[in-house]
PDB file of all heavy atoms in Angstrom:
ATOM      1  N   PRO A 360       0.730  60.412  79.753  1.00 91.00           N
ATOM      2  CA  PRO A 360      -0.164  60.255  80.882  1.00 91.00           C
ATOM      3  C   PRO A 360      -0.691  61.670  81.311  1.00 91.00           C
ATOM      4  O   PRO A 360      -0.067  62.671  80.967  1.00 91.00           O
ATOM      5  CB  PRO A 360       0.707  59.680  81.995  1.00 91.00           C
ATOM      6  CG  PRO A 360       2.100  60.046  81.612  1.00 91.00           C
ATOM      7  CD  PRO A 360       2.100  60.082  80.110  1.00 91.00           C
ATOM      8  N   LEU A 361      -1.797  61.659  82.006  1.00 92.00           N
ATOM      9  CA  LEU A 361      -2.339  62.970  82.483  1.00 92.00           C
ATOM     10  C   LEU A 361      -1.771  63.254  83.914  1.00 92.00           C
ATOM     11  O   LEU A 361      -1.916  62.372  84.807  1.00 92.00           O
ATOM     12  CB  LEU A 361      -3.914  62.890  82.558  1.00 92.00           C
ATOM     13  CG  LEU A 361      -4.592  64.069  83.181  1.00 92.00           C
ATOM     14  CD1 LEU A 361      -4.338  65.310  82.325  1.00 92.00           C
ATOM     15  CD2 LEU A 361      -6.051  63.837  83.315  1.00 92.00           C
ATOM     16  N   ASN A 362      -1.185  64.366  84.008  1.00 91.00           N
ATOM     17  CA  ASN A 362      -0.753  64.831  85.363  1.00 91.00           C
ATOM     18  C   ASN A 362      -0.760  66.353  85.397  1.00 91.00           C
ATOM     19  O   ASN A 362      -1.280  66.953  84.449  1.00 91.00           O
ATOM     20  CB  ASN A 362       0.643  64.258  85.673  1.00 91.00           C
ATOM     21  CG  ASN A 362       1.697  64.527  84.600  1.00 91.00           C
ATOM     22  OD1 ASN A 362       1.815  65.555  84.162  1.00 91.00           O
ATOM     23  ND2 ASN A 362       2.436  63.452  84.294  1.00 91.00           N
ATOM     24  N   GLN A 363      -0.248  66.936  86.387  1.00 92.00           N
ATOM     25  CA  GLN A 363      -0.269  68.426  86.477  1.00 92.00           C
ATOM     26  C   GLN A 363       0.498  69.053  85.367  1.00 92.00           C
ATOM     27  O   GLN A 363       0.189  70.083  84.815  1.00 92.00           O
ATOM     28  CB  GLN A 363       0.398  68.862  87.781  1.00 92.00           C
ATOM     29  CG  GLN A 363      -0.568  68.500  89.057  1.00 92.00           C
ATOM     30  CD  GLN A 363       0.033  69.074  90.269  1.00 92.00           C
ATOM     31  OE1 GLN A 363       1.224  69.366  90.395  1.00 92.00           O
ATOM     32  NE2 GLN A 363      -0.734  69.173  91.317  1.00 92.00           N
ATOM     33  N   LYS A 364       1.605  68.436  84.871  1.00 94.00           N
ATOM     34  CA  LYS A 364       2.393  68.953  83.832  1.00 94.00           C
ATOM     35  C   LYS A 364       1.824  68.856  82.459  1.00 94.00           C
ATOM     36  O   LYS A 364       2.108  69.577  81.512  1.00 94.00           O
ATOM     37  CB  LYS A 364       3.786  68.360  83.865  1.00 94.00           C
ATOM     38  CG  LYS A 364       4.663  68.711  85.119  1.00 94.00           C
ATOM     39  CD  LYS A 364       6.044  68.136  84.993  1.00 94.00           C
ATOM     40  CE  LYS A 364       6.861  68.574  86.293  1.00 94.00           C
ATOM     41  NZ  LYS A 364       8.199  67.991  86.167  1.00 94.00           N
ATOM     42  N   THR A 365       0.981  67.749  82.256  1.00 96.00           N
ATOM     43  CA  THR A 365       0.419  67.551  80.942  1.00 96.00           C
ATOM     44  C   THR A 365      -1.066  68.030  80.774  1.00 96.00           C
ATOM     45  O   THR A 365      -1.514  68.009  79.682  1.00 96.00           O
ATOM     46  CB  THR A 365       0.461  66.036  80.576  1.00 96.00           C
ATOM     47  OG1 THR A 365      -0.342  65.341  81.573  1.00 96.00           O
ATOM     48  CG2 THR A 365       1.913  65.515  80.634  1.00 96.00           C
ATOM     49  N   THR A 366      -1.628  68.554  81.823  1.00 97.00           N
ATOM     50  CA  THR A 366      -3.001  69.054  81.667  1.00 97.00           C
ATOM     51  C   THR A 366      -2.964  70.265  80.776  1.00 97.00           C
ATOM     52  O   THR A 366      -2.191  71.287  81.106  1.00 97.00           O
ATOM     53  CB  THR A 366      -3.576  69.423  83.046  1.00 97.00           C
ATOM     54  OG1 THR A 366      -3.661  68.222  83.825  1.00 97.00           O
ATOM     55  CG2 THR A 366      -4.984  70.025  82.908  1.00 97.00           C
ATOM     56  N   GLY A 367      -3.728  70.272  79.752  1.00 98.00           N
ATOM     57  CA  GLY A 367      -3.781  71.432  78.802  1.00 98.00           C
ATOM     58  C   GLY A 367      -2.453  71.508  77.950  1.00 98.00           C
ATOM     59  O   GLY A 367      -2.125  72.520  77.412  1.00 98.00           O
ATOM     60  N   LEU A 368      -1.750  70.410  77.877  1.00 98.00           N
ATOM     61  CA  LEU A 368      -0.428  70.361  77.216  1.00 98.00           C
ATOM     62  C   LEU A 368      -0.598  70.786  75.735  1.00 98.00           C
ATOM     63  O   LEU A 368       0.215  71.582  75.267  1.00 98.00           O
ATOM     64  CB  LEU A 368       0.132  68.981  77.150  1.00 98.00           C
ATOM     65  CG  LEU A 368       1.510  68.761  76.451  1.00 98.00           C
ATOM     66  CD1 LEU A 368       2.585  69.516  77.140  1.00 98.00           C
ATOM     67  CD2 LEU A 368       1.826  67.245  76.363  1.00 98.00           C
ATOM     68  N   VAL A 391      -5.615  66.447  78.547  1.00 98.00           N
ATOM     69  CA  VAL A 391      -4.309  66.764  77.974  1.00 98.00           C
ATOM     70  C   VAL A 391      -4.453  67.751  76.809  1.00 98.00           C
ATOM     71  O   VAL A 391      -3.581  68.441  76.595  1.00 98.00           O
ATOM     72  CB  VAL A 391      -3.622  65.408  77.436  1.00 98.00           C
ATOM     73  CG1 VAL A 391      -2.342  65.761  76.697  1.00 98.00           C
ATOM     74  CG2 VAL A 391      -3.298  64.461  78.594  1.00 98.00           C
TER      75      VAL A 391
END
Side-chain angles (χ1 to χ4, degrees):
L361 175 64
N362 53 46
Q363 289 183 343
K364 292 183 178 180
T365 62
T366 299
L368 179 68
V391 174

